[in-house]
Amino acid sequence: MKKKILLSFTLLLTFCVLGQTKESDNYPKTGDGEPVPPKMAPSSQTNQYSNNQIGTEYDFVLNDRYRNYEKIPLDKDALIIYDYDGTIKSFNIETKKVNWTFAASDSTVTYARNKMTLEDGVLYVPFHNGELYALNHKTGQKFWEVKIGLKNGALNKMMINQIPVIHGDKLYFVTQHENKNIYALNKKTGRHIWNYQLEYPYNHMPVLYSNEKIFVPNAPYFYSFDAETGKALYVRGFKTGMYSRPVSDGKRIFIADLSRDLFALDPEKLDILWKKDLPEGAVDHKMVYENNQLLLATSHNFYALNPETGAVIWQTEVPKKEHAESRFTLKQLELFNNKIYAYNNKSTFFVVNSIDGKIEKEIDLQNDPISNIQILDENTAFFYCEVGLIKLNLKTKKEDLLYIRSSIQSDPKENYILLVR
């Protein structure tokens, strides 16, 4: 496949010699302290290398374009499956047939480590080896593809747990290990616009767009960038790694750490507005903002918090099963029409009223969920199990196996499904 290399090896060697080495000593130390503007060299005037002028074999962006971008009418009977064998499938939930299948060009990509985004009928799919595709969600045909880096990161795992974030004509995501960059691409062409090499190589959470800024968790650091230019604005250090998908109400940024603390940050300079102690921690992706409530789940509790103060509006503890030694851990959370849908690691499915925290349904599943949840309507939910795709009737509690996987792996995990709507 013909590649269009955006950076030449001459520029690469020049930038490696002349490019700026970040002055980590001037960064905020983990723990207490005020956030500071990151040190960086002048921005590129050509948008062909990173704004902090780091140009290495890991930072390159290789791009191929196949057809002009266009908005695609939605196939509302389709559900997209990102299977843990590394393949993407479009599945018709009415005819129960596969519409198309897609895989990375690298044959070593044999398991999934990421998620996907659908906008205007275009599906944006990252693979863990650094490949990123824009696909027609109806046909699986490529609009463009991108390969990050001339050399892969450690263990060929450059992107993990990424959901491409789109605003306007730009698409944002982060890489890890030796790459450890945030990138902005043109969503219509895949063309590189800007990138910035982060301090730490541990980037397991998607970025957040809010109020013309991009916010990036980076181990014990939390960055803010100008979304248009990529200019690094502020970085704040914390005592431990920040490990949740950041969420915003438009006035505050919410993020939890690896331990038990939830923070509300001022989006302008990342000042801490309030901090909430969550006894069980483990927020991960289980946090959303809706109807002036910050809704989240820890290991054993559902919460609704006041976004202005962090005060608890309601708290619902997951019931302990009879004869069980301990409560089971909540794994996933989805919000739909003022209802929270979740399950735990022992295959109990919950429907919780987001207004008052009342558990309305508690269903003991026959199949163990290993993916996110997708809600079609108040009576229908979908999830993926080791065997395949399950349609759950929330009224009758019946589980229908719609699609059977064609291959089996010993450690099924990191699956993702997406209803087209």
Side-chain angles (χ1 to χ4, degrees), residues 179-221:
N179 301 77
K180 62 178 185 180
N181 276 266
I182 172 174
Y183 288 92
L185 306 181
N186 184 303
K187 76 172 184 182
K188 296 181 178 180
T189 64
R191 184 181 65 86
H192 168 262
I193 298 175
W194 60 261
N195 65 290
Y196 185 96
Q197 193 180 91
L198 303 166
E199 184 71 12
Y200 286 92
Y202 315 111
N203 299 306
H204 301 328
M205 286 293 158
V207 305
L208 168 70
Y209 175 92
S210 181
N211 293 332
E212 301 180 351
K213 296 181 180 66
I214 294 292
F215 299 91
V216 185
N218 178 236
Y221 281 175

Side-chain angles (χ1 to χ4, degrees), residues 248-261:
S248 177
D249 65 352
K251 299 177 181 179
R252 289 158 284 265
I253 308 298
F254 308 101
I255 187 167
D257 64 17
L258 276 167
S259 181
R260 52 193 290 170
D261 290 327

Side-chain angles (χ1 to χ4, degrees), residues 34-99:
E34 296 301 317
V36 300
K39 292 289 184 180
M40 58 183 294
S43 299
S44 163
Q45 299 304 307
T46 61
N47 284 331
Q48 289 186 341
Y49 53 90
S50 67
N51 285 7
N52 55 347
Q53 293 191 359
I54 296 174
T56 74
E57 58 191 341
Y58 298 106
D59 301 316
F60 273 82
V61 178
L62 312 179
N63 169 253
D64 252 340
R65 186 176 177 184
Y66 297 92
R67 52 184 50 83
N68 289 334
Y69 168 94
E70 60 176 323
K71 296 182 179 180
I72 307 298
L74 295 183
D75 178 4
K76 295 184 180 180
D77 290 332
L79 182 145
I80 311 298
I81 300 170
Y82 199 162
D83 207 334
Y84 55 79
D85 64 3
T87 60
I88 306 292
K89 295 180 178 68
S90 171
F91 181 77
N92 188 301
I93 58 178
E94 295 298 327
T95 65
K96 300 181 182 179
K97 294 182 179 180
V98 174
N99 299 316

Side-chain angles (χ1 to χ4, degrees), residues 112-124:
R113 299 301 304 265
N114 293 285
K115 300 171 174 61
M116 53 201 167
T117 299
L118 179 69
E119 186 190 70
D120 293 333
V122 179
L123 190 67
Y124 299 89

Side-chain angles (χ1 to χ4, degrees), residues 225-354:
F225 295 87
D226 182 283
E228 181 68 23
T229 66
K231 179 182 178 181
L233 302 174
Y234 286 92
V235 59
R236 170 179 277 281
F238 292 87
K239 293 179 180 179
T240 187
M242 309 309 290
Y243 200 75
S244 77
R245 186 178 182 180
V247 171
S248 177
D249 65 352
K251 299 177 181 179
R252 289 158 284 265
I253 308 298
F254 308 101
I255 187 167
D257 64 17
L258 276 167
S259 181
R260 52 193 290 170
D261 290 327
L262 172 69
F263 298 89
L265 305 178
D266 179 357
E268 294 305 314
K269 294 187 177 181
L270 303 184
D271 293 327
I272 296 175
L273 302 176
W274 54 257
K275 182 173 73 170
K276 177 72 176 177
D277 179 33
L278 300 172
E280 313 94 18
V283 172
D284 198 5
H285 281 255
K286 306 188 298 291
M287 180 165 60
V288 293
Y289 172 80
E290 187 77 15
N291 295 331
N292 202 34
Q293 293 185 121
L294 185 63
L295 302 166
L296 58 95
T298 58
S299 295
H300 309 139
N301 285 269
F302 296 101
Y303 288 91
L305 303 182
N306 183 321
E308 296 183 11
T309 64
V312 174
I313 299 173
W314 57 256
Q315 176 182 351
T316 300
E317 191 173 34
V318 176
K320 181 180 178 181
K321 292 290 185 181
E322 187 177 359
H323 306 306
E325 294 182 1
S326 63
R327 296 180 189 86
F328 302 128
T329 301
L330 291 166
K331 302 293 290 183
Q332 292 286 336
L333 180 148
E334 182 79 15
L335 184 68
F336 182 80
N337 284 354
N338 293 323
K339 297 286 194 301
I340 295 171
Y341 299 83
Y343 65 81
N344 63 19
N345 63 328
K346 293 299 179 180
S347 303
T348 304
F349 193 99
F350 299 95
V351 180
V352 180
N353 189 309
S354 68

